Amino acid sequence: VPRATTVIGDGFTVGGIAKGAAMLEPNMATMLAVLTTDAEIDAAAATEMLRAAVGTSFNCLTVDGAESTNDTVLLLANGSAGPVDPDALGAALAEACLSLAVQMADDAEGSTKTVFLTVTGAASDAEAAKGARDTANCQLVKCSWYGEDPYWGRIAAEMGAAGIAFDPDTISISYGGQIVYAAGQAQTVDEAALTTHMAGRTLDLDVDLGQGSGTARVVTTDLSHAYIDENMRTS
Amino acid sequence: VPRATTVIGDGFTVGGIAKGAAMLEPNMATMLAVLTTDAEIDAAAATEMLRAAVGTSFNCLTVDGAESTNDTVLLLANGSAGPVDPDALGAALAEACLSLAVQMADDAEGSTKTVFLTVTGAASDAEAAKGARDTANCQLVKCSWYGEDPYWGRIAAEMGAAGIAFDPDTISISYGGQIVYAAGQAQTVDEAALTTHMAGRTLDLDVDLGQGSGTARVVTTDLSHAYIDENMRTS
């Protein structure tokens, strides 16, 4: 399935196409994406901008924790739109890359859920990223998404096992904006609203560690019977 | 399912019982095992022996990479057999612990394969252990075991992504003693024998990195539809 995106800027346009299926934990590693723009920009500035955009998009994507073997992202700029505001171009590039990354998650092997997992309140951004990635790649957590089960226990356990600053009494865990666990205990929720959220294609999972101001976000997927079917035999 | 083992030594006996299902990557963390012996041994020596036995058994077991939350191993010694050869007792303890660990893998959640993954030729024992554990916990590799597919490509990729000394031209990968990949290419195998091995309950996977003398072994399991069924809902 081809994935494409177009971001219209003020006087310029950014386009992108990409392929990717699973074996996806880009570290710039089986993913191929090409971005194009008519903005006029020199190679050094374009490289810096693309690295930043990749950092908050493709490199925040993990399907199965299996590092992809040969990722490539290319940016082509023909300059026909002339000089543009670099901040606006950077933002457009980041938006285009994120759109492609989310489209990859949406049709990753066997994926039935695309999960936006945001960690806040970590001791540092690096600790937030470690906790987010360990949780995103946990088989048990992935199974719970497939089962549409707001299973906070394993999420807390993964954060606690991630080797980051952690206190079970300060962590809060929310699905679709509803706090399911906080202050050391399960919280009363609107069961109907929570069930509706868990049944959706997209899940929003927010974890506040209550330790500091570090943040991170990863985009990931569930673990389904179809994932196993696609990967149990290579031929 | 209760798991039990008895190891008869020269003048003494070691017995053990254990429970464990999944969420099993003991770091002494949901596993409970009790070992008993009639050997006479003081607490300090018993502790040292038990730590060594746990290191080569329970702590080499990983079902799903999800660290278990409250593992306990106890050794009770009543001394009624009198003093014994400490090396013999240590070996018996290690044998009893390994038997229990393998029994846990044999009936772990949804497990259809118990895999003995041995890494040799690593730059160090620590690098061997890192490569072994990353490979054992890789969803793609686990799916290939369920599919009885001697898929060497992802095994090589996991070793290469593990951050350890690695060269695709020196790694060799064997299933059931048959080399499937070596010297940078797929090897000719006895297809019938390989198919029979892959169809068995127990798989022997040996990876020689060709980098040094470091070794490690982990005991692990496959990823099956039944694992997902058992974990997609907590209630």
Side-chain angles (χ1 to χ4, degrees):
Chain A
V1 182
R3 297 160 196 88
T5 187
T6 305
V7 178
I8 310 289
D10 184 9
F12 67 94
T13 304
V14 174
I17 55 173
K19 77 143 282 275
M23 202 184 297
L24 258 181
E25 176 165 277
N27 186 17
M28 276 311 84
T30 312
M31 193 200 75
L32 172 62
V34 179
L35 286 299
T36 57
T37 183
D38 54 1
E40 186 181 311
I41 179 165
D42 68 46
T47 301
E48 188 180 338
M49 240 173 234
L50 185 60
R51 280 191 194 282
V54 165
T56 57
S57 57
F58 299 116
N59 281 349
C60 290
L61 172 66
T62 178
V63 165
D64 50 15
E67 187 167 289
S68 27
T69 53
N70 42 11
D71 298 334
T72 303
V73 175
L74 298 173
L75 168 61
L76 308 176
N78 72 1
S80 71
V84 304
D85 173 27
D87 289 346
L89 179 58
L93 260 181
E95 185 183 335
C97 287
L98 184 60
S99 169
L100 294 172
V102 171
Q103 291 179 64
M104 286 181 179
D106 286 346
D107 73 347
E109 287 177 344
S111 163
T112 77
K113 304 287 181 190
T114 299
V115 183
F116 293 85
L117 167 49
T118 305
V119 175
T120 56
S124 67
D125 287 354
E127 291 206 358
K130 177 68 163 60
R133 204 166 275 267
D134 281 13
T135 303
N137 287 332
C138 173
Q139 280 187 200
L140 288 167
V141 173
K142 286 180 172 300
C143 286
S144 73
W145 293 330
Y146 182 51
E148 305 182 348
D149 183 356
Y151 176 30
W152 49 263
R154 192 68 214 175
I155 294 165
E158 283 301 311
M159 294 291 174
I164 62 178
F166 174 82
D167 181 335
D169 291 328
T170 65
I171 191 176
S172 75
I173 301 171
S174 304
Y175 272 109
Q178 287 213 57
I179 300 174
V180 292
Y181 181 85
Q185 56 194 3
Q187 300 293 304
T188 304
V189 295
D190 178 338
E191 292 282 356
L194 184 58
T195 299
T196 301
H197 182 74
M198 298 306 296
R201 169 70 220 192
T202 298
L203 301 183
D204 292 308
L205 170 56
D206 296 289
V207 178
D208 184 339
L209 289 166
Q211 299 291 315
S213 58
T215 64
R217 185 171 71 166
V218 296
V219 180
T220 189
T221 58
D222 60 340
L223 172 57
S224 69
H225 288 132
Y227 178 91
I228 293 181
D229 292 337
E230 293 198 35
N231 288 293
M232 63 189 286
R233 290 185 205 279
T234 48
S235 54
Chain B
V1 183
R3 296 160 195 90
T5 188
T6 304
V7 179
I8 309 290
D10 183 10
F12 67 94
T13 304
V14 173
I17 54 174
K19 76 145 281 277
M23 201 185 297
L24 259 182
E25 177 164 276
N27 186 16
M28 276 308 87
T30 314
M31 194 199 71
L32 172 61
V34 179
L35 285 300
T36 57
T37 182
D38 54 0
E40 187 182 310
I41 181 166
D42 68 46
T47 300
E48 188 181 337
M49 241 173 237
L50 186 60
R51 279 191 195 284
V54 165
T56 58
S57 58
F58 299 116
N59 282 349
C60 290
L61 172 67
T62 179
V63 165
D64 50 16
E67 188 168 290
S68 29
T69 53
N70 42 12
D71 297 332
T72 302
V73 175
L74 298 173
L75 168 61
L76 308 175
N78 72 1
S80 71
V84 303
D85 172 29
D87 289 346
L89 179 58
L93 260 180
E95 185 182 334
C97 286
L98 183 60
S99 170
L100 294 172
V102 172
Q103 291 180 62
M104 285 180 181
D106 285 346
D107 73 347
E109 287 177 344
S111 163
T112 77
K113 302 288 181 191
T114 298
V115 184
F116 292 85
L117 167 50
T118 304
V119 175
T120 57
S124 66
D125 288 352
E127 291 206 357
K130 177 66 163 57
R133 203 166 277 267
D134 281 14
T135 304
N137 287 332
C138 173
Q139 280 187 196
L140 288 167
V141 174
K142 285 180 173 298
C143 286
S144 73
W145 293 331
Y146 181 52
E148 304 182 348
D149 183 355
Y151 176 32
W152 50 262
R154 191 68 214 175
I155 293 165
E158 283 299 312
M159 294 291 174
I164 61 178
F166 174 83
D167 182 336
D169 291 328
T170 64
I171 189 176
S172 76
I173 301 171
S174 305
Y175 272 109
Q178 287 212 60
I179 299 174
V180 292
Y181 182 85
Q185 56 194 5
Q187 301 294 302
T188 303
V189 296
D190 177 339
E191 293 281 356
L194 185 58
T195 299
T196 301
H197 182 73
M198 298 308 294
R201 166 71 221 191
T202 298
L203 301 183
D204 291 309
L205 170 56
D206 296 289
V207 179
D208 184 340
L209 290 166
Q211 298 291 316
S213 59
T215 64
R217 185 172 71 167
V218 295
V219 180
T220 189
T221 58
D222 60 339
L223 173 56
S224 69
H225 289 133
Y227 178 90
I228 293 181
D229 292 337
E230 292 199 36
N231 288 294
M232 64 189 285
R233 291 186 203 278
T234 47
S235 53

